[in-house]
Structures are given as structure tokens and as C-alpha cells.
Amino acid sequence: FSAASTFFTPPYTWTATGLPTGLNVSSNGTLSGVPTQSGNFVFTLTVTDSLFRSVSWSYSLTIQ
């Protein structure tokens, strides 16, 4: 994931909650891993700037 903003101040840190087991998001926004379970998942992705301001998005992910 990546971000560009005139309001937020780099560097940015990425986090995610609700990802299926085996997947993770690194602090630089890279989604990686191998999911170990199938199903429909809703996860929340958050980016935080150097002044601790943050914004979050919800995404839906289907693993078959």
C-alpha cells in the first residue's frame, strides 16, 4: 500500500487488523505471507504519520 498527502507528514507507518492467519502488513505497507485459512475476511488498514495522525480503511478479502 502507499500514501500521498498534503496533510499528513512522512514517514508513514502501516498496520492492519483482521487479516487471515498467515498474512501481515509490514510497517512500510507491504502485504505478504501465505494465508492458512480460507473464507471471507474484513480487515482494517491504518496509516499513521510522524505526528501520530492516522486514517483507516476497511477492505474485504476472500481466500479460496
Side-chain angles (χ1 to χ4, degrees):
F1 299 92
S2 64
S5 173
T6 57
F7 178 74
F8 281 64
T9 305
Y12 305 123
T13 302
W14 296 87
T15 57
T17 58
L19 285 170
T21 303
L23 291 182
N24 62 64
V25 171
S26 67
S27 62
N28 71 1
T30 302
L31 177 64
S32 63
V34 177
T36 60
Q37 57 190 133
S38 60
N40 297 315
F41 302 88
V42 176
F43 69 96
T44 302
L45 181 69
T46 302
V47 62
T48 304
D49 77 354
S50 63
L51 300 176
F52 302 101
R53 295 175 290 197
S54 63
V55 63
S56 297
W57 300 269
S58 289
Y59 289 96
S60 179
L61 177 66
T62 301
I63 306 293
Q64 296 185 348

